[in-house]
Amino acid sequence: TIVIYSDGGANHPFNTHLDELKALTDKGAGIVCIHYGVETVAGKPGNAFMDWTGGFFEPHWSVNPHWTAKYSALPVHATTRGVKPFSTNDEWYYHMRFLENMSGVSPILTDLPPPESLSRPDGPHSGNPEVRKAVLERKEPQHTAWARERPDGGRGFGTSGGHVHWN
């Protein structure tokens, strides 16, 4: 398993090593991306993240506010064994870009962000009309951690939390 907890976006270290990582995932390696490590750019890097973990933070689509998430129910999943419901304030990214129909993706942490999490003006990380419709109008709970079982048997995991290490 390869774990990345690093800068993201255009500077994500995976962006320049996609072919090397694909060769490893083709052999069954798992990919775990934590916090800023879930952010990359659309196109070839974003498509690779979708394949490996099932989703990613896409600038001008996803947002990165600090808010207190309340995870009152957790799914039965290998990644939740021994984990009890919890609440914590963190920079929980949401409105992630996921595979169509969440194909092979299991939401792990899900909550409806509060309206004040969208109080910043529109920008690459702060808001856009689509996220406002999803959260403020349609009241769609947002996935902040997820796991993927790939068709080739490999696995991936992403979580947007982790801005503050004690969380």
Side-chain angles (χ1 to χ4, degrees), residues 11-68:
N11 295 322
H12 197 293
F14 280 8
N15 291 348
T16 56
H17 297 281
L18 298 175
D19 293 335
E20 294 165 77
L21 288 160
K22 177 160 178 20
L24 294 169
T25 60
D26 284 351
K27 293 178 184 175
I31 299 282
V32 174
C33 295
I34 302 168
H35 195 56
Y36 201 11
V38 301
E39 182 185 337
T40 192
V41 294
K44 188 174 178 181
N47 292 339
F49 276 56
M50 295 280 261
D51 182 49
W52 297 330
T53 69
F56 71 102
F57 179 109
E58 181 181 327
H60 296 284
W61 177 259
S62 307
V63 294
N64 70 347
H66 283 260
W67 56 289
T68 300

Side-chain angles (χ1 to χ4, degrees), residues 57-65 94-97 117-138 142:
F57 179 109
E58 181 181 327
H60 296 284
W61 177 259
S62 307
V63 294
N64 70 347
Y94 64 86
H95 202 242
M96 309 301 278
R97 186 67 78 179
S117 70
L118 289 169
S119 62
R120 300 177 296 169
D122 288 356
H125 296 93
S126 56
N128 59 71
E130 290 305 314
V131 70
R132 284 178 172 62
K133 286 178 194 171
V135 171
L136 302 176
E137 293 176 25
R138 296 190 300 268
Q142 299 294 305

Side-chain angles (χ1 to χ4, degrees), residues 79-92:
T79 62
T80 62
R81 277 188 222 139
V83 180
K84 295 180 179 8
F86 66 97
S87 177
T88 191
N89 185 282
D90 202 339
E91 186 181 47
W92 292 107

Side-chain angles (χ1 to χ4, degrees), residues 132-154:
R132 284 178 172 62
K133 286 178 194 171
V135 171
L136 302 176
E137 293 176 25
R138 296 190 300 268
K139 309 268 189 245
E140 295 173 356
Q142 299 294 305
H143 309 306
T144 58
W146 60 95
R148 176 155 196 249
E149 295 275 343
R150 297 191 310 261
D152 65 4

